[in-house]
Amino acid sequence: MSIKYSIIICTYNRASFLKETIDSILFHLTDTAKYELLIVDNNSTDQTADVVRQYAEVPVVRYIFEKNQGLSYARNRGIQEAQYPVIVFLDDDIEIHPRYLAVLDSQYQDSSVHIVGGKVLPFESQVPDWLPKKYFYLASVYDAGENRMIVPKLMGANHSFRKEVAVKVGGYNTGIGPLGDFKLGGDENEFLLRAQKKGYQLLYHPDLIVYHKIQNRFNKEFILTYSYNIGATEANIDYSHRPLFLNLRILKYRMENLLDKLQSTIAPTSDFVKVFRREHRKGYLNFIKKQSRK
């Protein structure tokens, strides 16, 4: 059975990265009968439209303009426009592994498989030693190991699903995204959480690989800011979907903050892991505090 894919790249003001990403996909995924490549321009003000115009003679490339600002709006538009039964979301700053479609084929031949994701590895760079592997996600790196398995989460830069999943689960939540003082993300986490509640499993395959151009994220200032924003994002999802978990987490984080204060009076910490975990808790609790004031 031949499976066809709608590869969707949502982009905003990333023209230089976008061209490299399109070139990588067209170079490595040579069987263009198997896919379409949808570029969803999320109201960019740079040269994004001009970049895509360069591929006007490439039949698989299709340009879509989405004026509503926000990644969830762009993703929903991509799903709406997709012509093929499997949706693949990739970031606009990746290089793709040559066997990407072959690995997808090997998984989606099984009709019981509905959602598949894989590794997001750094492109031509290494994660710094001061960031432990369990926290690589703070630099948008995801590597769950070398075994095919069911996982609780996948990364937005490399996830796919049958279009029927979106029909049954609903689209991406447009309330997830920039919100006041909080730079919230995680729309794919919220979408996949709803999918799991519907009974769908998230399958991870170690050979489904993209390489993320994230050298600018390998610094402590970025990690601290991102930790805070992830904390706020997780609070937003828990607030909407997991009230019991929310209350337990609030209690846990308040206790950890209290212990931190007690320890800091004895000896201030220089452990960077403790520092960014503190920022994560701060983002989480500040979001809840703001919600309680409404």
Side-chain angles (χ1 to χ4, degrees):
M1 179 179 65
S2 177
I3 303 170
K4 293 189 176 183
Y5 304 92
S6 292
I7 300 174
I8 303 171
I9 297 175
C10 302
T11 188
Y12 173 70
N13 286 351
R14 304 289 294 280
S16 59
F17 280 119
L18 178 63
K19 183 176 184 345
E20 294 172 357
T21 299
I22 295 173
D23 287 344
S24 174
I25 291 171
L26 294 177
F27 180 78
H28 291 297
L29 308 187
T30 55
D31 188 357
T32 53
K34 286 188 63 64
Y35 70 94
E36 62 176 349
L37 179 57
L38 308 186
I39 310 300
V40 183
D41 179 356
N42 194 201
N43 206 15
S44 297
T45 57
D46 66 355
Q47 305 304 309
T48 292
D50 294 333
V51 165
V52 185
R53 204 170 288 122
Q54 297 174 33
Y55 302 91
E57 303 304 316
V58 182
V60 296
V61 178
R62 189 146 54 96
Y63 175 80
I64 299 161
F65 183 80
E66 174 53 55
K67 67 178 181 179
N68 292 308
Q69 199 76 62
L71 180 56
S72 293
Y73 283 108
R75 283 181 164 158
N76 288 340
R77 180 65 183 278
I79 294 170
Q80 177 187 336
E81 297 279 351
Q83 297 177 347
Y84 294 144
V86 177
I87 305 292
V88 181
F89 277 115
L90 303 176
D91 275 9
D92 59 6
D93 55 353
I94 60 99
E95 294 283 323
I96 199 163
H97 193 282
R99 294 193 63 252
Y100 192 89
L101 285 186
V103 177
L104 281 183
D105 277 348
S106 70
Q107 302 310 298
Y108 282 111
Q109 293 289 346
D110 182 347
S111 62
S112 69
V113 171
H114 291 88
I115 303 173
V116 183
K119 292 181 180 178
V120 181
L121 304 178
F123 176 72
E124 295 184 349
S125 59
Q126 289 186 329
V127 181
D129 293 339
W130 47 261
L131 188 64
K133 186 171 182 179
K134 67 182 290 188
Y135 297 110
F136 277 12
Y137 68 91
L138 292 173
S140 298
V141 173
Y142 181 64
D143 182 352
E146 300 308 314
N147 295 317
R148 178 183 182 272
M149 58 183 173
I150 303 301
V151 291
K153 290 184 179 181
L154 295 169
M155 187 161 279
N158 182 14
H159 71 295
S160 67
F161 49 85
R162 297 186 192 273
K163 196 172 182 179
E164 66 189 70
V165 173
V167 172
K168 293 180 181 178
V169 173
Y172 287 78
N173 185 347
T174 55
I176 302 286
L179 184 63
D181 297 332
F182 299 103
K183 304 300 182 185
L184 303 183
D187 61 323
E188 73 278 358
N189 291 334
E190 196 269 350
F191 174 83
L192 294 174
L193 177 62
R194 281 187 281 127
Q196 290 174 92
K197 287 182 176 180
K198 292 284 188 181
Y200 294 109
Q201 292 183 315
L202 313 186
L203 179 63
Y204 164 85
H205 197 291
D207 297 330
L208 193 67
I209 302 170
V210 300
Y211 302 94
H212 211 180
K213 297 175 182 177
I214 48 173
Q215 292 90 333
N216 64 320
R217 302 185 183 192
F218 294 151
N219 63 82
K220 293 184 178 181
E221 181 180 359
F222 177 88
I223 296 298
L224 287 175
T225 301
Y226 198 56
S227 297
Y228 181 92
N229 291 332
I230 285 183
T233 295
E234 291 179 356
N236 190 20
I237 294 172
D238 291 346
Y239 187 85
S240 302
H241 295 283
R242 302 185 289 197
L244 178 60
F245 188 69
L246 172 80
N247 291 326
L248 291 173
R249 214 167 184 182
I250 290 172
L251 180 62
K252 176 177 182 287
Y253 284 175
R254 285 175 176 168
M255 291 293 294
E256 288 178 356
N257 281 346
L258 181 60
L259 287 173
D260 260 8
K261 287 181 180 179
L262 291 173
Q263 291 172 353
S264 64
T265 59
I266 301 170
T269 183
S270 58
D271 184 342
F272 186 66
V273 171
K274 289 185 178 180
V275 175
F276 70 67
R277 287 182 65 183
R278 185 184 303 153
E279 284 301 302
H280 180 276
R281 295 196 301 269
K282 185 177 178 182
Y284 193 98
L285 295 174
N286 280 356
F287 179 87
I288 299 303
K289 187 184 298 183
K290 185 169 183 176
Q291 295 301 108
S292 67
R293 289 174 180 166
K294 290 183 177 180

